[in-house]
Amino acid sequence: MKAIVVHQYGGPEVLKFEDYPDPVPGSGEVLVRVAASSVNPIDYKRRAGLTKDFYPLKFPGLIGVDLAGTVVKVGPEVDGFAAGDRVFAMADNTYAELCVVKAAALAKVPAGLDLIQAAALPLVTTTGAQLMDATAIQAGKTVLVVGAMGNVGRSAVFAAKQRGARVIGGIWKKQVDEAKSIGADQTVATDDSAALESLSPLDAVADTVGGKIADTLIAKVKQGGTFATVVQPPKNAANYPAVIVQHVFSHFDRQTLEFMAEAVRDGKLTIPVSRKLHLSEAAEAQAAAEKGGIGKVLLVA
């Protein structure tokens, strides 16, 4: 098969489109022909060596965590999947034409959802939903989603509204008009110190940005409230012992992924796709995604 092979840590230029041995499904595993993968921050951080202490690459190695495709073959002790099934998942080594996925970490693409579009969804929608789970937000309570215009942020806003929460979307000043489409009850510009200062106490914050904004916003959480983040916890968290800080690491959950994918199919949630490039153009795709400010970038095999 063809795959994006990494021989050393570095910039996008280390992503090489090369021949690589076909994977073989073992017990409890499924071989998937990849229709598309998507570019996520974890992909280019891993390529650059920023995660080597906890998520290293073994050279030559493959990267990628999102995929959508079609089942080619199932290994022993696999139930519920068969050749020809349209599937999607959070997996490993997805920048390739073929990928082996544990059946327990695989879901079927909902009928009516485009297979290529499905590749944009696994990591960001699952993470957004689990970020909201970590806040333990309830109906009638108020949560601020920081980075609400991002793909994880959009997913978190949707998940919060499904819980009946009142949602404030944390955005940049320049995003005010565009943010009207994400479904938040109101928005606040997180690059406007006066706007942040005027915020009423919050039941929870769901953070996808981190940094100085996080350090500021933890002070806005009520005693007993929760500050949940997918990046780094606020550096000053120790100053707010009455605030529960939750560091969220996403994990596969079939029911959550299928629910969020159905919401995308039905037009209730939008995960914008800005570019679709061939797998061989992974270096260009990652370079574009790293600059930020765009929707999902897909790699079509």
Side-chain angles (χ1 to χ4, degrees):
M1 70 174 182
K2 290 289 189 181
I4 296 299
V5 185
V6 184
H7 296 270
Q8 64 186 63
Y9 292 122
E13 70 280 356
V14 304
L15 301 175
K16 305 297 183 182
F17 185 61
E18 298 178 352
D19 289 319
Y20 197 81
D22 289 2
V24 177
S27 180
E29 295 180 332
V30 176
L31 179 65
V32 178
R33 181 164 298 282
V34 180
S37 182
S38 77
V39 177
N40 291 292
I42 188 64
D43 300 337
Y44 45 78
K45 289 178 181 179
R46 195 172 183 219
R47 178 215 74 216
L50 300 179
T51 66
K52 59 185 176 183
D53 290 341
F54 61 92
Y55 192 20
L57 269 169
K58 182 178 179 181
F59 302 118
L62 309 184
I63 61 173
V65 297
D66 277 338
L67 72 75
T70 305
V71 173
V72 175
K73 183 180 180 181
V74 298
E77 299 183 20
V78 171
D79 294 318
F81 295 98
D85 285 346
R86 301 187 330 139
V87 293
F88 59 158
M90 292 161 53
D92 287 316
N93 307 332
T94 64
Y95 284 20
E97 292 178 332
L98 295 168
C99 184
V100 163
V101 185
K102 293 183 182 300
L106 196 62
K108 293 181 180 178
V109 175
L113 179 63
D114 179 75
L115 186 61
I116 301 298
Q117 183 185 17
L121 308 183
L123 183 60
V124 296
T125 63
T126 301
T127 302
Q130 291 173 352
L131 177 60
M132 202 49 57
D133 290 343
T135 67
I137 200 68
Q138 298 176 354
K141 301 294 186 178
T142 299
V143 58
L144 170 62
V145 178
V146 189
M149 288 298 293
N151 295 308
V152 173
R154 288 168 179 266
S155 301
V157 169
F158 173 77
K161 292 302 296 179
Q162 292 300 299
R163 288 169 167 260
R166 179 173 175 271
V167 182
I168 303 173
I171 59 171
W172 303 122
K173 292 179 185 177
K174 64 182 180 181
Q175 297 174 321
V176 170
D177 290 337
E178 187 181 359
K180 295 175 182 177
S181 66
I182 62 174
D185 296 288
Q186 72 177 81
T187 58
V188 62
T190 54
D191 52 349
D192 183 335
S193 57
L196 293 183
E197 184 63 30
S198 66
L199 276 174
S200 298
L202 302 161
D203 296 297
V205 169
D207 179 34
T208 71
V209 176
K212 292 181 179 179
I213 295 173
D215 296 344
T216 298
L217 288 175
I218 191 172
K220 290 293 182 178
V221 180
K222 297 175 182 178
Q223 289 193 1
T226 303
F227 189 104
T229 180
V230 295
V231 282
Q232 294 301 315
K235 293 181 179 179
N236 59 344
N239 297 335
Y240 302 92
V243 175
I244 301 166
V245 177
Q246 298 277 20
H247 197 183
V248 177
F249 297 93
S250 60
H251 58 275
F252 176 76
D253 182 286
R254 181 177 291 119
Q255 185 176 1
T256 295
L257 177 55
E258 291 175 344
F259 175 77
M260 299 295 277
E262 288 169 1
V264 171
R265 178 199 62 192
D266 297 341
K268 299 175 182 178
L269 169 64
T270 300
I271 302 298
V273 173
S274 61
R275 300 183 70 179
K276 296 178 183 177
L277 299 174
H278 187 263
L279 177 62
S280 61
E281 300 173 290
E284 180 183 344
Q286 282 204 359
E290 256 182 301
K291 291 178 181 177
I294 59 175
K296 291 290 287 183
V297 179
L298 301 186
L299 293 173
V300 181

